Amino acid sequence: IVRIHKNEYLDSLVLMNLSNDVSGWPGVRQAVVVMGTDSNRHILEQVGLMAGEALSATPRDLIVAAELEPSLSEAEFLPRLEERIRQKPRGATAEGSFDRLEAALAARPQARLVSISVPGEYAAGLAREALEHGRHVFCFSQHVSIDDEIALKRLAVKRGLLMMGPDCGTAILDGCGLGFANRVRPGTIVLVSAAGSGLQEVVCLIHRAGGGVSQAIGVGGRDMRSPVDGLMAEAAVRLLGGSPDTHVIVVLAKSASLEAQRRVLRAAKATHRPLVVDFLSAEGSGLDGEDVIVADTFEAAARQALRLAGVVWGLPPTDDALHEALASALRRLPPGRRLLRGLYAGGSLCAESARILASHGVMTETNLDGPLGQRPMGHQLIDLGAEEYTAGRAHPFIDPRLREIEVAQAFTDPTVGVLLVDVVLGWGCHPDPAGALAAGLRKARPADGGGPVVIACLCGTPEDPQGLRQQQARLVEAGVLVLDSNAAAAELAAEAVDRLGRS
């Protein structure tokens, strides 16, 4: 059954819950309810449901596709489905719902922050309205123009406000998580980041190693690049770094222009607090000869921040048993499986892995600077949270279905010998990401137990809703080699590629 609803929009989180609910109904083999974007059409093709009316769907159309058991007829299924689509999202009530932002602010005058998660074409107007009403903004939405981003951040700076985003995935303000965020203890370290999953990685490592975080904010992935050039990063460092509770400042970015580096350094100097930075790539260096610590991995940034805060690093080194398990698993691979495939939900973690692998001579093709070609030619890392995958659908931190498809393809590709993945926990994320990945691996693994060696980094804390130890146990049970940091996972993957190259 394939039906489309012309010009009907539903939020990606609503759609994911709807698809999951309907797929569990008696008599339903599988169901997918999505907007008609290219990435969603790809998913429908992979599960064999791209047919009929879906072929003519546009990104503004809602696609309903399902495969039914003989025991369930269309006449029974479709009315129930239509009723389910019209239902309000779980937890939604008339109380506290508003048609306009101005009405919401009038009803909640004590609210100091507005969180925005709407299609990108509407996000800039709402953000501008919130700033003009004197509220900080957390903008999760993507697809906002660069001109709008610069204008919004200039307005925020003028009014002494934070404009987090657009495309801001995470923040922790006074212990309250926004977007994808982890439960960490309070402390004296402030973090400002243009790398969302990188920020989560660093705060989790700080917590697990014994330290604490005062504030941690994202500024959006483009903030430290030209032409935005660190407008909000500079403002955030000045605002947060000036607090007497701040002892150390950490600034992270996937890429940093020379002007952005200079702005951040200037702001940090004004606070008289030590500065740690990790810029995965940078235009030259505006930090040469300055009193700043430059880290080359997120783990190194966490270590340096803790050292400056007077906390001894409390995490053990990688267990030798993991290297032995890797060597044993690689010996069982058939001769043709020699390539690395990385499937990442976190773009910053993907970028860090690419840099670490390159430092070991393992050059990878990635989609970090644009969509990949159709035919992988060598080692490959894919950021499944990139815009070409998330338009009209939930982020892979929330919805694991796209990665499940990619995992299955990696297992059927006879050239892939190592599969490198991230598993990210916290508020806003899937309730059981390790369980979902483990289920995908079990489904993809052939009966003889073959397929690539799987290496994972686990980003989270024991206090996160999913439970770090429980998630680790699920992965280990599925035969995954689990590392405490993304850097350690990338190092182990580089070792695997080297071993395969010498075998």
Side-chain angles (χ1 to χ4, degrees):
I1 299 173
V2 179
R3 298 285 188 274
I4 65 170
H5 295 234
K6 298 294 292 184
N7 297 313
E8 182 169 341
Y9 174 81
L10 289 178
D11 179 82
S12 57
L13 293 180
V14 173
L15 291 173
M16 186 198 71
N17 288 326
L18 182 59
S19 295
N20 289 341
D21 286 350
V22 176
S23 294
W25 290 355
V28 178
R29 288 178 179 169
Q30 61 175 332
V32 181
V33 188
V34 293
M35 301 304 297
T37 63
D38 288 342
S39 61
N40 287 332
R41 289 161 67 95
H42 173 67
I43 287 177
L44 289 170
E45 289 174 357
Q46 294 298 317
V47 298
L49 293 176
M50 188 62 183
E53 295 180 10
L55 297 171
S56 61
T58 73
R60 293 180 177 273
D61 301 331
L62 180 67
I63 302 175
V64 177
E67 182 181 1
L68 307 181
E69 300 281 359
S71 60
L72 182 63
S73 68
E74 288 188 30
E76 295 173 297
F77 173 73
L78 288 175
R80 183 182 178 189
L81 177 64
E82 293 297 328
E83 182 182 357
R84 176 66 180 83
I85 290 174
R86 290 193 297 270
Q87 289 176 0
K88 291 179 181 179
R90 277 178 273 176
T93 63
E95 183 181 357
S97 298
F98 304 92
D99 294 329
R100 295 177 297 110
L101 177 59
E102 186 175 12
L105 295 176
R108 301 286 188 272
Q110 73 278 16
R112 303 308 308 153
L113 180 142
V114 173
S115 179
I116 297 173
S117 180
V118 299
E121 60 193 289
Y122 308 112
L126 286 171
R128 185 173 296 107
E129 185 179 355
L131 292 170
E132 288 172 347
H133 280 83
R135 266 63 168 195
H136 302 292
V137 171
F138 177 87
C139 185
F140 189 82
S141 304
Q142 296 178 314
H143 309 289
V144 176
S145 75
I146 196 73
D147 290 339
D148 279 335
E149 178 171 349
I150 291 171
L152 289 169
K153 288 182 172 177
R154 284 176 175 166
L155 175 60
V157 170
K158 181 179 178 180
R159 293 176 177 256
L161 298 168
L162 293 173
M163 175 64 209
M164 294 170 275
D167 189 21
C168 184
T170 182
I172 303 173
L173 296 174
D174 294 334
C176 178
L178 299 171
F180 306 121
N182 302 91
R183 190 168 288 156
V184 297
R185 72 176 61 83
T188 60
I189 301 171
V190 157
L191 299 101
V192 176
S193 179
S197 55
L199 179 58
Q200 288 186 262
E201 171 83 343
V202 176
V203 299
C204 289
L205 289 172
I206 287 172
H207 174 89
R208 284 156 52 197
V213 171
S214 172
Q215 311 286 353
I217 74 162
V219 291
R222 299 183 302 197
D223 188 81
M224 290 289 286
R225 301 175 182 173
S226 181
V228 187
D229 287 327
L231 269 172
M232 189 45 52
E234 177 187 20
V237 168
R238 290 187 186 277
L239 179 64
L240 302 179
S243 168
D245 298 327
T246 300
H247 294 180
V248 183
I249 300 170
V250 179
V251 179
L252 310 170
K254 283 186 281 190
S255 179
S257 68
L258 191 59
E259 178 59 24
Q261 295 175 65
R262 290 169 175 163
R263 277 179 161 164
V264 164
L265 180 62
R266 186 166 60 241
K269 280 185 173 180
T271 69
H272 304 290
R273 304 291 193 273
L275 174 66
V276 179
V277 303
D278 179 10
F279 303 145
L280 294 177
S281 64
E283 297 174 7
S285 176
L287 306 174
D288 291 339
E290 300 290 353
D291 186 19
V292 55
I293 295 173
V294 180
D296 58 359
T297 66
F298 295 132
E299 180 181 333
R303 286 177 178 272
Q304 293 291 355
L306 285 175
R307 181 183 64 80
L308 291 168
V311 179
V312 177
W313 182 261
L315 287 176
T318 300
D319 193 330
D320 288 342
L322 280 171
H323 297 280
E324 296 168 5
L326 174 68
S328 176
L330 293 175
R331 284 194 292 269
R332 295 193 294 269
L333 287 178
R337 288 193 177 271
R338 291 291 181 267
L339 296 181
L340 168 71
R341 180 77 51 83
L343 300 176
Y344 280 85
S348 304
L349 300 179
C350 183
E352 179 183 60
S353 293
R355 185 173 73 171
I356 291 171
L357 288 162
S359 72
H360 290 275
V362 181
M363 307 310 296
T364 58
E365 181 187 13
T366 77
N367 65 329
L368 296 168
D369 297 314
L372 289 167
Q374 294 298 311
R375 293 172 59 87
M377 303 302 293
H379 304 301
Q380 188 180 71
L381 300 183
I382 304 174
D383 170 19
L384 296 172
E387 290 193 356
E388 66 264 28
Y389 291 107
T390 57
R393 63 172 294 107
H395 191 280
F397 283 173
I398 304 168
D399 185 352
R401 289 175 296 176
L402 182 59
R403 179 149 68 179
E404 289 175 10
I405 291 171
E406 296 289 344
V407 165
Q409 291 179 342
F411 269 77
T412 57
D413 186 336
T415 68
V416 177
V418 181
L419 188 60
L420 182 59
V421 298
D422 59 345
V423 177
V424 180
L425 315 181
W427 292 304
C429 295
H430 189 278
D432 185 13
L437 176 60
L441 291 171
R442 285 193 294 269
K443 185 177 179 180
R445 202 180 299 279
D448 63 3
V453 178
V454 185
I455 299 172
C457 73
L458 185 54
C459 174
T461 73
E463 291 73 25
D464 281 333
Q466 300 87 349
L468 183 75
R469 301 307 168 212
Q470 297 92 321
Q471 293 289 292
Q472 184 175 19
R474 285 180 173 83
L475 294 173
V476 171
E477 185 180 1
V480 179
L481 303 179
V482 185
L483 283 299
D484 283 332
S485 75
N486 188 62
E491 292 282 350
L492 194 67
E495 177 185 332
V497 173
D498 179 64
R499 286 177 179 271
L500 288 174
R502 290 188 282 110
S503 63

